[in-house]
């Protein structure tokens, strides 16, 4: 049993995410991630723990889903869609990839205590 914060939910990574700085953690598509803090003040980020090795850090919430999200994504991709519909779906999913100089919100400040909820 882990001695860190207690998990409030287990999610699955819908996309690969490569951490760009120390408070972030990388995750692979289909990897299980335990959610530890999903405070709205984290601006689209969640404090989480990778199940495979227990490493903790910040991950983008938009990259996470439930097993039913994953099933729905697989089902839609396996349907016989027209090429145009497939391209539209691929373009939407590529917005989650980390390429070029795409702007993104910065991960939360690691120097601010996560327990400081008074501000």
């Amino acid at each position: 049993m882990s001695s860190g914060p207690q998990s409030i939910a287990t999610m699955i990574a819908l996309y690969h995410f490569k951490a760009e700085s120390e408070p972030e953690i990388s995750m692979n598509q289909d990897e299980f991630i335990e959610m530890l803090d999903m405070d709205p003040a984290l601006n689209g980020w969640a404090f989480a723990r990778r199940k495979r090795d227990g490493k903790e850090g910040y991950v983008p919430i938009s990259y996470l889903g439930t097993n039913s999200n994953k099933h729905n994504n697989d089902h839609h991709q396996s349907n016989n869609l027209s090429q145009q519909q497939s391209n539209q779906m691929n373009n939407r999913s590529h917005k989650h990839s980390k390429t070029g100089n795409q702007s993104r919100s910065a991960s939360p400040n690691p120097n601010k205590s996560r327990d400081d909820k008074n501000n």
Side-chain angles (χ1 to χ4, degrees):
M1 187 176 250
S2 174
S3 61
Q6 185 174 0
S7 174
I8 55 175
T10 299
M11 307 289 279
I12 189 166
L14 300 174
Y15 311 96
H16 173 78
F17 173 74
K18 181 170 174 32
E20 293 183 356
S21 62
E22 181 56 36
E24 301 171 4
I25 57 170
S26 296
M27 59 186 178
N28 297 316
Q29 185 174 357
D30 299 328
E31 183 168 21
F32 289 100
I33 306 293
E34 295 177 307
M35 306 312 302
L36 305 176
D37 187 354
M38 296 176 65
D39 188 329
L42 296 175
N43 294 322
W45 293 81
F47 190 71
R49 178 187 308 123
R50 283 191 309 232
K51 284 199 88 156
R52 70 178 149 99
D53 62 4
K55 183 163 173 119
E56 295 179 357
Y58 292 96
V59 295
I61 292 173
S62 63
Y63 282 51
L64 301 170
T66 63
N67 281 334
S68 63
N69 291 132
K70 175 64 179 156
H71 171 74
N72 288 338
N73 287 344
D74 290 344
H75 176 73
H76 288 302
Q77 290 175 357
S78 66
N79 285 340
N80 292 325
L81 299 173
S82 70
Q83 185 63 38
Q84 182 180 16
Q85 288 172 319
S86 294
N87 289 340
Q88 289 172 350
M89 286 180 67
N90 287 336
N91 288 339
R92 270 188 244 130
S93 66
H94 287 307
K95 74 180 177 185
H96 295 285
S97 65
K98 315 239 341 122
T99 59
N101 289 329
Q102 267 184 330
S103 64
R104 67 178 194 131
S105 63
S107 58
N109 182 348
N111 297 322
K112 182 176 190 277
S113 171
R114 291 186 314 103
D115 295 328
D116 183 12
K117 306 279 183 183
N118 296 328
N119 294 337

